[in-house]
Amino acid sequence: MDPCAEARILDSLGWGVLVVGRWSRVILAFNRRMEEISGIPRAEAVGRPVAEVFGHLRGLDLESLDAEIQATGGFEARSVRLERPGGEVVYRHLRGDVLDGGQAGEPAVVVSVQDVTEREFLRWSLTRYLSREVVDLVLGRGREGPIEGRELDAAVLVADMRGFTGTAEGLTPGELFETLNAYLGPMVEAVTRNRGMIDKFVGDGFMAVFGLGAAVEGDEATQALRAALELRSRVDEVSRRRGEQGLPTLGLGFGVHWGPALAGTVGSDLRMEYTLVGDTVNVAHRIQALAEPGEILVTRAAARAAASGFRWGETRWVRVRGRKAPVKVAALLGEEGGGAGGQCGVP
């Protein structure tokens, strides 16, 4: 094909394209959209090694990409976070494919580049108000309607602050928010670290769900129990620091239950919420209400669904509102090797 015709075709594309010699690593072609995305004129890119042209970007691992190209004949699509010399952060979606150059020509790596900075910053902004799982679900659906409900087995962890109402009476609104955030901030991190999702904040507590992501499927109860132990540890640490500073401190009670539930959107076209509903959620809330400050009450169903190796206090039967039959619970003390005291085995 005529080189001018090839250039016109490349310039007509809505995404960036650069063509690199597979062996020489020299840029052979650079379309107009690539100029706009990179801020680099075509004349300054074509004919130069790709490492010279893009070596100023932090986060672009050219050696790894090159190794993948040599091993597989291309590289899979991926989004990368890049930092320019001035500190500006941008996101690019990359994909590379190798084209045979024929007997006379060198094989070429055709790299398609899309600027996804706006989408990634939108995702980052939304995850400050919604869980990442929900953001990914919503953005992945585009213009589609509500997320249809799906049945699944999930572990639900509910935490609530003890003595919050009395403490709040002596605080200004600013002090109240500071106290809440001092506790809830580290707790959100603990849930996320254990692959859980904050379903909602409810006044002076929250509900977390484990089992919505494929990475946790089948292991949701174990992750919930580990998250509860880490949450308790973080709460103790926050209270210790605040006590030393003469600031208000709070205790939290925790409840964990496991069982079938329905995940989906509830609400109307004007306001929707992605959440988990069902008896499993209700029981977790009721169990939490019975926990003493610093106590993690776990139902027998959740304990048996989790892996072995946890330490338990004495079991007891409790009655919860909305259920005729009592529910067997035990206090979670820790994991084996994580401290003294308590009996082992599933309650």
Side-chain angles (χ1 to χ4, degrees):
M1 182 183 292
D2 176 47
C4 292
E6 289 182 1
R8 286 195 297 271
I9 292 174
L10 289 179
D11 284 342
S12 69
L13 299 176
W15 59 90
V17 175
L18 71 151
V19 182
V20 182
R22 182 173 182 181
W23 312 125
S24 66
R25 278 80 166 181
V26 169
I27 296 176
L28 306 176
F30 204 83
N31 74 344
R32 182 177 294 114
R33 180 59 182 145
M34 193 64 210
E35 288 184 300
E36 296 172 355
I37 292 174
S38 66
I40 301 172
R42 184 175 353 206
E44 296 180 12
V46 175
R48 293 175 58 198
V50 67
E52 283 186 11
V53 177
F54 296 105
H56 63 287
L57 296 173
R58 293 180 58 185
L60 183 61
D61 190 346
L62 292 173
E63 291 185 3
S64 295
L65 292 178
D66 187 62
E68 189 173 340
I69 291 169
Q70 305 310 323
T72 65
F75 59 84
E76 295 293 329
R78 70 202 59 193
S79 290
V80 296
R81 180 186 185 276
L82 305 175
E83 184 176 336
R84 289 172 169 166
E88 179 188 7
V89 174
V90 296
Y91 291 85
R92 302 290 185 254
H93 189 267
L94 310 177
R95 175 175 173 172
D97 297 284
V98 173
L99 298 182
D100 189 353
Q103 294 182 350
E106 176 187 19
V109 181
V110 180
V111 182
S112 61
V113 182
Q114 291 179 290
D115 182 358
V116 293
T117 302
E118 184 175 347
R119 186 183 71 185
E120 290 301 320
F121 274 110
L122 173 61
R123 186 187 303 274
W124 175 81
S125 297
L126 288 174
T127 53
R128 300 179 70 186
Y129 298 92
L130 303 170
S131 72
R132 180 168 294 276
E133 292 84 354
V134 174
V135 171
D136 290 341
L137 277 171
V138 173
L139 294 182
R141 293 178 64 83
R143 297 178 181 274
E144 295 181 35
I147 303 169
E148 295 182 0
R150 63 186 179 101
E151 294 183 1
L152 73 165
D153 290 328
V156 179
L157 187 161
V158 180
D160 190 70
M161 295 181 182
R162 302 299 190 248
F164 180 77
T165 302
T167 301
E169 289 179 354
L171 300 178
T172 66
E175 292 170 336
L176 181 61
F177 274 102
E178 186 277 331
T179 302
L180 279 172
N181 289 329
Y183 282 93
L184 294 179
M187 294 173 75
V188 171
E189 295 171 8
V191 169
T192 303
R193 265 177 36 84
N194 289 280
R195 297 182 291 177
M197 179 193 96
I198 297 291
D199 182 280
K200 59 173 67 68
F201 289 100
V202 185
D204 51 350
F206 67 85
M207 179 179 113
V209 177
F210 299 78
L212 292 183
V216 191
E217 190 173 343
D219 200 27
E220 56 275 353
T222 302
Q223 295 300 328
L225 298 188
R226 287 176 176 161
L229 290 171
E230 184 175 343
L231 287 170
R232 182 169 62 186
S233 176
R234 290 192 177 217
V235 167
D236 290 344
E237 176 61 21
V238 171
S239 292
R240 184 190 64 78
R241 292 199 309 265
R242 291 178 66 83
E244 292 174 351
Q245 300 170 22
L247 297 173
T249 60
L250 296 166
L252 278 89
F254 304 91
V256 181
H257 184 43
W258 175 91
L262 186 70
T265 51
V266 295
S268 69
D269 290 340
L270 297 177
R271 176 71 169 86
M272 294 182 184
E273 180 180 8
Y274 184 81
T275 188
L276 199 73
V277 296
D279 183 63
T280 298
V281 175
N282 297 334
V283 171
H285 279 274
R286 304 291 186 258
I287 293 301
Q288 171 277 137
L290 301 174
E292 297 294 328
E295 187 176 34
I296 304 170
L297 287 185
V298 181
T299 63
R300 179 168 56 179
R304 290 187 171 179
S308 60
F310 291 98
R311 296 180 293 110
W312 305 94
E314 292 185 5
T315 60
R316 66 182 189 266
W317 291 93
V318 298
R319 290 197 172 276
V320 297
R321 183 160 54 89
R323 272 202 168 196
K324 293 181 179 179
V327 177
K328 191 175 186 181
V329 300
L332 175 62
L333 302 180
E335 284 193 82
E336 291 180 357
Q343 61 191 46
C344 296
V346 177

